[in-house]
């Protein structure tokens, strides 16, 4: 009698285990997962968007430093994307004053840190005075008379949004075009053509 009762209880437990989940339990679990996904996904996207913006800021800072150094230094200055390491860095040309005919040497600039783009951001276009360069491995340098070419770098993030950073030969201020934003920077204006010939400048 006792044995049969125990057997019935045991078989009832086994039957409850074998029956699986009810529809309500499945719906509750799915609802919880959807809510968690809705909370986590935007933060993940924000982090990735933040990586793209930070990469743009770093490249823009390096381009500004290149322009500033070319305006203030007597040495030639270059900006280089190393195809092997992926780093973008400033280079300075050292000339041997004792023997100027001897070959000069490009060394890394000590006043600026190299920039490495995150995996979610890539350079898709680089132009120097309108000439297309290899986006993965390029070098743009100032001329011996310290003049600079016009440089334009386009970055693309994980969401396929493109940011273009460019700088004119006469300016140390960059022009940045982020997705959905107006172009930031100064451009030359012909005051006579704009009807502002009496404006102060």
């Amino acid at each position: 009698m006792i044995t049969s009762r125990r057997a019935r209880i045991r078989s009832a437990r086994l039957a409850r285990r074998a029956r699986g989940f009810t529809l309500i339990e499945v719906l509750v679990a799915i609802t919880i997962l959807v809510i968690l996904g809705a909370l986590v996904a935007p933060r993940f996207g924000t982090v990735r968007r933040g990586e793209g913006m930070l990469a743009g800021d770093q490249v823009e800072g390096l381009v500004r430093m290149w322009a500033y150094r070319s305006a203030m230094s007597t040495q030639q200055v270059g900006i280089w994307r190393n195809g092997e390491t992926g780093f973008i860095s400033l280079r300075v040309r050292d000339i041997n004053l004792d023997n100027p005919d001897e070959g000069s040497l490009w060394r890394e600039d000590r006043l600026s840190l190299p920039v490495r783009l995150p995996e979610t951001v890539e350079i898709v276009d680089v132009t120097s005075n309108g000439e297309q360069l290899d986006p993965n491995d390029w070098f743009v340098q100032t001329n011996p008379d310290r003049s600079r070419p016009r440089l334009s770098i386009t970055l693309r993030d994980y969401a396929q949004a493109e940011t273009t950073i460019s700088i004119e030969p006469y300016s140390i201020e960059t022009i940045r075009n982020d997705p959905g934003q107006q172009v930031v920077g100064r451009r030359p204006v012909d005051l006579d053509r704009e009807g502002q010939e009496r404006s102060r400048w």
Side-chain angles (χ1 to χ4, degrees):
M1 182 89 175
I2 295 174
T3 310
S4 64
R5 186 171 176 210
R6 281 185 185 164
R8 273 187 274 137
I9 292 171
R10 191 174 293 155
S11 65
R13 283 182 188 164
L14 289 173
R16 259 185 271 148
R17 283 185 194 160
R19 73 180 167 89
F21 298 106
T22 64
L23 181 60
I24 293 175
E25 290 170 336
V26 170
L27 290 175
V28 167
I30 289 172
T31 304
I32 290 171
L33 289 174
V34 167
I35 291 170
L36 287 174
L39 292 174
V40 172
R43 291 183 185 206
F44 184 64
T46 302
V47 167
R48 294 185 116 187
R49 273 194 304 274
E51 282 181 350
M53 293 297 288
L54 179 60
D57 291 345
Q58 290 175 329
V59 171
E60 185 178 18
L62 205 59
V63 169
R64 268 198 198 129
M65 178 64 88
W66 174 64
Y68 178 75
R69 291 296 305 279
S70 68
M72 302 304 287
S73 175
T74 56
Q75 298 169 298
Q76 281 183 275
V77 185
I79 185 167
W80 178 43
R81 170 89 189 269
N82 186 334
E84 293 177 10
T85 64
F87 279 100
I88 307 168
S89 61
L90 289 188
R91 314 296 278 182
V92 178
R93 190 172 194 176
D94 280 337
I95 298 173
N96 186 348
L97 296 176
D98 297 330
N99 188 3
D101 295 332
E102 188 179 293
S104 55
L105 191 68
W106 287 95
R107 64 169 172 78
E108 192 168 306
D109 181 35
R110 293 185 215 115
L111 300 177
S112 61
L113 293 174
V115 171
R116 182 163 193 165
L117 300 178
E119 292 179 6
T120 56
V121 179
E122 63 177 338
I123 294 179
V124 292
D125 186 52
V126 179
T127 59
S128 173
N129 277 345
E131 180 187 339
Q132 202 86 21
L133 304 176
D134 178 7
N136 298 316
D137 191 351
W138 46 270
F139 183 69
V140 179
Q141 68 185 48
T142 58
N143 300 315
D145 64 357
R146 292 180 13 192
S147 64
R148 271 186 291 115
R150 183 185 191 279
L151 176 64
S152 178
I153 302 171
T154 302
L155 307 170
R156 183 184 294 151
D157 68 10
Y158 80 101
Q160 303 301 308
E162 292 187 356
T163 298
T164 301
I165 298 160
S166 57
I167 192 159
E168 299 294 335
Y170 52 81
S171 175
I172 59 170
E173 186 64 35
T174 55
I175 300 167
R176 182 167 173 170
N177 187 3
D178 282 314
Q181 294 182 359
Q182 292 181 335
V183 174
V184 178
R186 287 188 256 180
R187 291 184 180 252
V189 175
D190 185 342
L191 295 177
D192 292 335
R193 192 177 305 162
E194 296 290 323
Q196 300 179 24
E197 59 276 348
R198 295 184 183 267
S199 297
R200 299 179 77 186
W201 49 280

